[in-house]
Amino acid sequence: MFKPKIPTNPTPTVRVRPSVIEPTAIVQHAQYVPPPSPVPTAPAPVSTRPTVQLTPGALALAVGGGIAAVLVVGAVLVSMLLAVAITAMALAICALVIRSLIASQARGR
């Protein structure tokens, strides 16, 4: 009963033969060299830190999204607390009823 039963794999009924691999020819192509640009461009200025620019619409969207997230998380937490409170109250009532039944049975009623 406590010994593990290891399943045995059945032996294959069909033999699989490897397919024939044919060699392929290697063809080398010339490398592409882009033509030089006629006008040299100046390098981009190096900034020490990236700047983030928020438009009024993007800022309102971020604030609205944050408020919605807080409201959703708050509603979930309140509903979980309410579920725990209701369960605790139901268990307390059941405990009182059972204690009353046991006490009345012990008195001989």
Side-chain angles (χ1 to χ4, degrees):
M1 179 172 144
F2 294 108
K3 293 181 181 178
K5 295 179 181 177
I6 300 173
T8 58
N9 291 332
T11 58
T13 57
V14 179
R15 255 196 148 154
V16 178
R17 294 184 181 160
S19 61
V20 177
I21 300 174
E22 296 180 8
T24 57
I26 298 174
V27 178
Q28 292 184 355
H29 297 284
Q31 292 181 350
Y32 173 74
V33 178
S37 97
V39 179
T41 57
V46 178
S47 64
T48 56
R49 72 189 129 141
T51 57
V52 177
Q53 295 178 352
L54 288 177
T55 62
L59 185 62
L61 183 66
V63 169
I67 290 173
V70 167
L71 289 177
V72 167
V73 170
V76 169
L77 291 177
V78 167
S79 64
M80 289 172 63
L81 179 66
L82 186 61
V84 169
I86 290 172
T87 304
M89 189 183 318
L91 286 175
I93 291 172
C94 289
L96 287 176
V97 169
I98 290 172
R99 190 174 99 179
S100 172
L101 289 173
I102 291 174
S104 67
Q105 190 177 21
R107 281 185 280 194
R109 290 187 174 179

